[in-house]
Amino acid sequence: MKAYWYDNEPGDQRLPHDSGRSVDPSYLSKLGVLYQSFPEVDDPTSVDALAWERNYKNRDTICVSPATMGDAYESKVKMFFNEHLHEDEEIRYILDGAGYFDVRSEADEWVRLRLEKGDLIVLPSGIYHRFTSDEQNYTKAMRLFKDEPKWTPLNRDTGTDDNQYRRDYLRARDG
Ligand code: KMT
Ligand code: NI
């Protein structure tokens, strides 16, 4: 995992967009973002334990690639890149390939997290974020859900600033 400030330059979302300024792990915990490395992707022991501890009941595996999504790939990739929040925690575990999760900082700037095989992140409910594959166009990930309905992405600007989970997140982050 690598964390850095997004450069905000034009160009395909799948490019690194690395400003060259790295982000400290302690800042990620300030944002409520949790990172763990579970390198043994074929051994579910670690992820099972985490799911148990945090009360996750459901999971699936998604393969974001042209080979699996065909013509829908480009539109899916654009859709995942719409800034959104969830009313529940989001856990993503990269099983193969790589991808980027962008999360909003306190000053509403983007922090980019590059995740590779074996990397797992927990995004708190209410944090604004987005996802994209990288130039390899291949991300195989496990998605863990506590409950089905709350997994729905709520795109920013649809009243999400007033969402109770958003308010709770900001109170936890800013004290
Ligand atoms: C999300 O919430 O943006 C996603 O689940 C993206 C796909 S997981 C690699
Ligand atoms: Ni999401």
Side-chain angles (χ1 to χ4, degrees):
M1 202 277 286
K2 187 181 167 195
Y4 53 85
W5 295 97
Y6 188 79
D7 67 7
N8 293 309
E9 296 295 334
D12 195 281
Q13 66 192 52
R14 289 165 282 201
L15 294 169
H17 289 281
D18 189 349
S19 64
R21 293 176 294 129
S22 64
V23 171
D24 203 74
S26 65
Y27 188 66
L28 295 182
S29 44
K30 174 103 215 292
L31 296 179
V33 174
L34 214 87
Y35 162 74
Q36 290 202 258
S37 171
F38 293 149
E40 304 300 329
V41 296
D42 296 322
D43 176 3
T45 312
S46 304
V47 72
D48 283 355
L50 184 80
W52 174 257
E53 279 163 26
R54 301 182 86 89
N55 213 22
Y56 278 69
K57 297 179 186 74
N58 305 298
R59 65 178 71 172
D60 72 4
T61 298
I62 184 174
C63 192
V64 182
S65 73
T68 51
M69 293 177 162
D71 289 346
Y73 175 71
E74 289 293 329
S75 62
K76 281 274 189 192
V77 162
K78 287 198 179 74
M79 190 192 74
F80 289 140
F81 206 59
N82 286 331
E83 180 173 2
H84 64 277
L85 62 74
H86 305 275
E87 295 187 339
D88 220 336
E89 265 185 12
E90 168 169 334
I91 298 186
R92 298 291 181 268
Y93 180 33
I94 307 300
L95 301 173
D96 202 9
Y100 299 112
F101 281 88
D102 296 338
V103 298
R104 285 289 191 189
S105 73
E106 292 162 288
D108 224 19
E109 306 279 355
W110 286 117
V111 173
R112 175 156 279 201
L113 310 173
R114 176 173 174 79
L115 299 191
E116 297 179 354
K117 184 176 178 177
D119 290 336
L120 178 148
I121 51 161
V122 184
L123 301 183
S125 69
I127 193 172
Y128 285 126
H129 65 280
R130 62 188 183 185
F131 167 80
T132 184
S133 48
D134 71 4
E135 292 160 277
Q136 303 302 314
N137 293 297
Y138 179 67
T139 317
K140 187 178 170 190
M142 186 188 290
R143 303 187 291 188
L144 295 107
F145 319 116
K146 284 189 174 169
D147 289 301
E148 220 60 68
K150 286 186 176 174
W151 172 69
T152 313
L154 303 177
N155 286 343
R156 191 169 183 173
D157 284 338
T158 49
T160 47
D161 282 346
D162 294 326
N163 182 288
Q164 192 56 50
Y165 292 86
R166 177 66 186 166
R167 290 172 182 276
D168 291 345
Y169 168 70
L170 289 179
R171 195 173 321 110
R173 189 192 72 183
D174 300 335

